[in-house]
DNA sequence: GCGTATGTGAGAATGGTTATCACATGAGGG
DNA sequence: CCCTCATGTGATAACCATTCTCACATACGC
């Protein structure tokens, strides 16, 4: 069901159309930089700020999802299923496979389901510990 | 107790001693900034670069571990167990609890084990997909 | 068509992190 | 002890992904 609109209630524009169609076309995880480069390669131009804004809007609408980082750049990917899930990002080709959420699945299930060999994973759970519930944010960061 | 040395084979220095002891003392997840601030509060001074280098060295030696981010800053925490595991980071107080690795555990187990209420989690598995094994890194980033 | 809320883009600003480089110092050997 | 020099320090500049600014352009409801 891809009838979800890339920009939700936002406006469309030639740039945004190009960006959305390129994100679709890439079919794998990409950085803002990848996206810009791909656009340029197709003769489409879009300022950096515009690409960042467009990607933020697409993420906001749920049409795109942040799927981790590559180096110091954020990684994004098209995301069809509205249901909660997680991602298998191939470090070789960048393909992104969706997989069910419950953390019960593990490395071997990734392998069984997708033939995907997990070599690294990053799992951190955020929440509130026993002593803090229900406390405020750790707001003493001052920045 | 900590028979593992904070700096592995590296040298020690007043600054590094202060930094390591402060990391120990904090007893919870901290950013470089937190660490610096805590040092300053104790009258110990250490340049930014020094703190970054010290933390990098401590991470290298396995004495410290990166346990995610807070905003745009990297989060670190003392890490005793050499065994592979994951972290429960309290967004309220920053306490870090270690938990066994296998992804089979889930939200409810965090709750059962630690009284920790998971409100968010970030799970991404990196590896090599069926079609790529055994391929090279996705090195076309060009920067 | 008009008006205006919204998108665009060049460039500056931000902010965490890393590199530079001159200087200081820990620690092993003599 | 003292020398040596590999290694650590720190002020500062550089880096770089991302965000902001602001003047201008344009989508789209009326």
């Amino acid at each position: 069901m891809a009838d979800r609109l890339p920009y939700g209630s936002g406006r469309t524009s030639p740039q945004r159309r190009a960006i959305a169609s390129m994100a679709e076309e890439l079919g794998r995880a990409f950085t803002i930089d990848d996206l810009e480069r791909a656009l340029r390669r197709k003769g489409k131009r879009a300022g950096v700020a515009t690409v960042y804004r467009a990607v933020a809007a697409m993420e906001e609408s749920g049409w795109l999802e942040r799927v981790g980082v590559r180096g110091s750049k954020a990684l994004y990917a098209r995301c069809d299923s509205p249901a909660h899930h997680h991602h298998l990002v191939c470090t070789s080709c960048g393909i992104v496979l969706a997989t069910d959420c419950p953390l019960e699945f593990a490395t071997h299930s990734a392998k069984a389901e997708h033939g995907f060999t997990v070599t690294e994973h990053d799992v951190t759970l955020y929440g509130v510990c026993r002593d803090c519930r229900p406390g405020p944010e750790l707001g003493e960061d001052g920045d």
Side-chain angles (χ1 to χ4, degrees), chain A residues 101-114:
Chain A
C101 162
L103 301 191
E104 299 93 75
F105 83 35
T107 295
H108 55 67
S109 99
K111 180 109 185 186
E113 280 179 66
H114 304 288

Side-chain angles (χ1 to χ4, degrees), chain A residues 108-132:
Chain A
H108 55 67
S109 99
K111 180 109 185 186
E113 280 179 66
H114 304 288
F116 195 102
T117 305
V118 174
T119 56
E120 283 176 61
H121 56 262
D122 194 339
V123 178
T124 304
L125 308 183
Y126 293 92
V128 181
C129 75
R130 182 160 31 211
D131 303 328
C132 291

Side-chain angles (χ1 to χ4, degrees), chain A residues 51-73:
Chain A
V51 179
Y52 272 99
R53 275 183 298 232
V55 167
M58 293 190 289
E59 192 190 358
E60 173 97 8
S61 81
W63 194 81
L64 212 60
E65 223 172 302
R66 182 174 295 169
V67 295
V69 295
R70 186 160 71 223
S72 54
K73 302 172 187 168

Side-chain angles (χ1 to χ4, degrees), chain A residues 2-24:
Chain A
D3 33 40
R4 195 198 288 244
L5 293 166
Y7 294 101
S9 58
R11 278 185 196 170
T12 87
S13 73
Q15 292 91 333
R16 290 191 158 192
R17 261 187 292 274
I19 291 169
S21 109
M22 183 54 75
E24 186 89 65

